[in-house]
Amino acid sequence: MVFRHCFVASGLIAVLAFGCSGGANSSAENTTQVVQESNVTQLFIEAKATQKAEDFFHQGNNLLDRQNYEDAIKAYDKAIAIKVESPEAWINRGIALTSLQRYQDALASYDKAIAIKPDKYEAWYNRGIALTSLQRYQDAIASYDRAIAIKPDKYEALINRGIALTKLHRYQDAIASYNKAIAIKQDLHQAYYNKACSYALQSNLELAIENLDKAIKLVPDKYKKLAKTDPDFSKVRSEKQFQKLLQ
């Protein structure tokens, strides 16, 4: 089967904007002006800190893009130390941890993001990936379901949900999930390939070949090579029709 990988969250941290009014003559008015000036100073400090947190966040993203995961985590930690309520930093920190196969730590990071912003579909999606990697398939399906409920056109979540269902031998449910992904995006070669796997695991040669053929037509070299050794096809690999497709 073919897995859809992590989604990198992105987001901008708002920079504060403010202004101040002119002074007045009475002692009461002067007192008010002092308070306003104090507030402006505080706003300047907060805006500077916010900008610094944003800089660390973008630094982390650049390191993540370069697959420098340890340093990316350090950069996200610095961003979070300044602005702890940043779901994007927690999510991307989790992605870096997932890439290092530190799945439990990644889950904790995604859960932090969800606690801050429960409707952040990226957190639920990537949480599902970590849970799948831990072979906690039922929990992974629940996370993918939350991601899909928030963002119904998230076809990657539907593909990964199908994989988790397949691992639980719920083949028909898995195929239904792949079909929903294909309804969103017609040329989803991963979905066709994974459908073929699900049919092959049920010894349904005809539909396994039909869907594998669609995947091969979209990405020939990859899927011909993959299908030759993928254990999901062990029940149908010796069939002449299957062998002919891989020639």
Side-chain angles (χ1 to χ4, degrees):
M1 285 177 288
V2 180
F3 199 63
R4 292 292 299 185
H5 294 290
C6 304
F7 180 91
V8 179
S10 62
L12 297 176
I13 300 171
V15 178
L16 296 172
F18 43 79
C20 55
S21 59
N25 294 323
S26 71
S27 59
E29 288 169 338
N30 286 338
T31 300
T32 303
Q33 184 64 33
V34 170
V35 173
Q36 288 176 342
E37 288 173 353
S38 176
N39 288 343
V40 168
T41 301
Q42 182 62 33
L43 288 171
F44 270 117
I45 293 168
E46 290 174 1
K48 188 174 181 181
T50 297
Q51 183 60 54
K52 195 169 185 181
E54 186 178 349
D55 290 343
F56 282 128
F57 174 69
H58 289 302
Q59 181 185 341
N61 288 352
N62 290 333
L63 290 162
L64 187 62
D65 287 341
R66 298 202 297 269
Q67 300 181 8
N68 192 341
Y69 302 122
E70 294 283 3
D71 288 340
I73 292 165
K74 291 175 184 176
Y76 293 131
D77 283 344
K78 289 176 182 177
I80 290 163
I82 298 167
K83 188 177 176 64
V84 70
E85 300 292 302
S86 173
E88 293 84 6
W90 284 112
I91 292 168
N92 287 6
R93 181 179 184 271
I95 290 169
L97 288 162
T98 299
S99 300
L100 293 171
Q101 299 182 10
R102 292 170 56 184
Y103 303 122
Q104 291 291 353
D105 292 335
L107 281 177
S109 207
Y110 298 137
D111 286 343
K112 287 277 191 181
I114 289 165
I116 296 164
K117 193 169 176 57
D119 63 347
K120 202 74 175 167
Y121 78 88
E122 301 96 330
W124 289 108
Y125 171 66
N126 286 297
R127 186 175 185 271
I129 290 173
L131 288 163
T132 301
S133 299
L134 290 167
Q135 299 182 12
R136 290 171 55 184
Y137 301 121
Q138 198 62 56
D139 292 334
I141 292 164
S143 276
Y144 292 134
D145 283 344
R146 291 295 295 269
I148 294 161
I150 297 164
K151 190 173 176 60
D153 63 348
K154 183 67 177 170
Y155 59 83
E156 298 94 337
L158 286 161
I159 292 174
N160 287 1
R161 180 179 181 273
I163 291 171
L165 287 162
T166 300
K167 293 293 186 180
L168 294 172
H169 306 289
R170 293 171 56 185
Y171 303 122
Q172 293 304 317
D173 291 335
I175 290 165
S177 200
Y178 299 137
N179 284 338
K180 287 180 181 178
I182 292 165
I184 295 167
K185 195 173 189 303
Q186 297 294 315
D187 60 348
L188 274 180
H189 48 88
Q190 305 96 331
Y192 287 118
Y193 182 84
N194 288 343
K195 273 183 70 179
C197 291
S198 293
Y199 282 121
L201 288 164
Q202 298 175 85
S203 300
N204 189 329
L205 176 63
E206 182 181 350
L207 290 177
I209 289 174
E210 178 184 318
N211 283 278
L212 181 57
D213 183 48
K214 290 177 181 178
I216 288 171
K217 283 177 179 175
L218 289 165
V219 188
D221 293 339
K222 176 180 179 178
Y223 291 116
K224 279 190 177 183
K225 181 178 180 181
L226 196 57
K228 287 177 181 178
T229 57
D230 193 329
D232 287 351
F233 292 110
S234 60
K235 292 182 179 180
V236 299
R237 185 172 288 113
S238 61
E239 298 290 339
K240 288 182 180 179
Q241 302 99 304
F242 189 85
Q243 288 294 323
K244 183 178 179 181
L245 182 62
L246 301 184
Q247 289 175 356

